[in-house]
Amino acid sequence: MESIEKLVVTAFADVLTVVNPRFEGRRRVNRRAHALCFAKSGKMIYYHNGKTFVSDRNHVLILPKGATYDSSCVEAGEFPIINFYTTDAFAPKEFISFDTTSTEAYMAEFQKIEKVSLIKPPNEFLSNMKTFYGILNRLYKEYLHASEGKSYDVIKPAVHYLEDHFTDPDLTNRLLAEKALISEAEYQNRTIPYTDDESFFDDGWNDTEEHFLTPNIVFLELDSANQSSGWNRDAYRLEKKLLEYCKGRELSLNQCYTFKTDRHHLIFMSVQEEQDDWEKPYAYIMYIDIGPITRYIVTLNWAFFGVLLAISSVMCLLGFRFGRDIEKEAERQQTFFQNASHELKTPLMAIQGYAEGIQAGVMDTDSAAEVILAESDRMTELVEELLDISKIDMGRQQLALSETDIRE
């Protein structure tokens, strides 16, 4: 069943339901595509490489591309088939058979793929691939529960202890592992298929990280007895890359190493625990993914930089606006003082002229005195107006408002 983990769909050829009467002895040569075969009713027998495979309501088959085989329909019925293509990594030599309680449970998914293939919406491939992997996930989980009896027998003492002491506040994985006479890491790996309700490939392909600020330590077995400890698409691919990375290197025990991908930054350690004298040491990789928290910190840094940039931009705009207001106010005051100095200079020049005329004896004293007094009164009014304006600016002048008819 290891080959199923390498199954990566690249295209769907056709989706159809074959209605077969009872027949014997049909031969198929060099099958053009892989096929996932169900039996809604009836029973098919396939003969391949000297082996017999059954397709009925309790068995689902994957027929490999390029296979040559014989088939017989021993019970007439309807047989839904999904023909698909994959990458070269998926190249099984034999038929792959899944035991299932009933194929009826998969008919809704098959009909969904069949409907999408007929309508052909823009996201046809992605929708069908999601549904297809959902089918494989359910088949694989049924296979795990049916075929992992050996692993379950190993942890059975721990299961019985858990049933009797599930209310114990001191109950831990380490204690359960001791009851099963295995290491804690091996206990976690063996119990994943029975305790994890998440999909092998999540139904929604939800690859978001949970609790990224407190990442968990993950144990990954090195042998093939128990595969990847990640039971979603992202974790599965990540651990596959990590195992490939470790295979080409000599890793020292209990020494930390780093492994980076586009979205992950792993810190891992190769660990080996001694078992009983008649068993080989139990080897596994212990790793923690700090990629999500590092991306979170980088995101915070960029957000902080963006906030600083926004604040700096606002301050620059406000400074520019205030600077323009200050310049306008300075220009207004300069214009005001120029006009005020001109208005004050006019009576002063008149007073000075008449005073010089009196001094020179060319001006009549009485008429000159009248002009001087008039200009002095005018200058006094200007000074008082300047003082009133100053008081108004400082808020010390009480304004008396009244209505006036502008037509008068």
Side-chain angles (χ1 to χ4, degrees), residues 154-163 175-177 179-180 187 191:
V154 172
I155 64 172
K156 187 179 294 184
V159 173
H160 293 329
Y161 185 84
L162 179 62
E163 292 173 349
L175 178 59
L176 293 174
K179 296 299 179 180
Y187 170 78
T191 55

Side-chain angles (χ1 to χ4, degrees), residues 236-282:
Y236 169 75
R237 291 181 176 177
L238 174 64
E239 293 183 353
K240 185 177 180 181
K241 291 180 181 178
L242 178 59
L243 289 175
E244 292 175 353
Y245 176 83
C246 295
K247 285 181 180 179
R249 291 167 174 79
E250 294 184 1
L251 303 179
S252 301
L253 295 177
N254 302 322
Q255 181 174 342
C256 290
Y257 298 88
T258 60
F259 174 70
K260 293 183 179 180
T261 65
D262 294 338
R263 301 179 62 244
H264 302 276
H265 184 183
L266 304 186
I267 298 177
F268 69 93
M269 176 188 298
S270 178
V271 182
Q272 183 171 293
E273 295 184 5
E274 296 295 332
Q275 304 280 48
D276 296 329
D277 294 338
W278 59 86
E279 294 185 3
K280 66 178 182 179
Y282 181 70

Side-chain angles (χ1 to χ4, degrees), residues 176-232:
L176 293 174
E178 292 176 356
K179 296 299 179 180
L181 302 178
I182 57 177
S183 68
E184 182 180 2
E186 185 176 3
Y187 170 78
Q188 291 191 22
N189 279 330
R190 289 184 181 274
T191 55
I192 283 172
Y194 307 99
T195 60
D196 194 350
D197 292 333
E198 295 297 325
S199 301
F200 187 74
F201 288 139
D202 293 335
D203 291 340
W205 283 11
N206 182 11
D207 294 332
T208 56
E209 299 91 351
E210 297 181 358
H211 313 296
F212 60 91
L213 292 178
T214 56
N216 295 323
I217 297 177
V218 181
F219 299 97
L220 178 61
E221 250 182 289
L222 292 177
D223 58 21
S224 59
N226 294 284
Q227 294 296 327
S228 167
S229 63
W231 292 87
N232 58 48

Side-chain angles (χ1 to χ4, degrees), residues 41-102:
S41 60
K43 184 176 182 179
M44 289 282 297
I45 305 294
Y46 295 88
Y47 307 95
H48 181 250
N49 291 344
K51 297 180 181 179
T52 302
F53 300 90
V54 178
S55 175
D56 57 17
R57 292 177 60 85
N58 299 113
H59 298 86
V60 179
L61 297 180
I62 292 182
L63 311 184
K65 177 183 177 182
T68 298
Y69 54 88
D70 297 307
S71 61
S72 297
C73 182
V74 295
E75 293 181 15
E78 299 180 11
F79 300 91
I81 298 177
I82 302 174
N83 291 307
F84 61 94
Y85 298 100
T86 68
T87 59
D88 294 337
F90 180 69
K93 303 298 183 182
E94 299 287 348
F95 285 24
I96 300 176
S97 177
F98 296 95
D99 295 338
T100 180
T101 55
S102 174

Side-chain angles (χ1 to χ4, degrees), residues 384-400:
E384 289 178 351
E385 290 177 356
L386 289 175
L387 291 175
D388 290 339
I389 292 174
S390 177
K391 290 179 181 180
I392 292 173
D393 287 340
M394 296 178 67
R396 296 179 181 178
Q397 181 70 30
Q398 296 294 331
L399 299 178

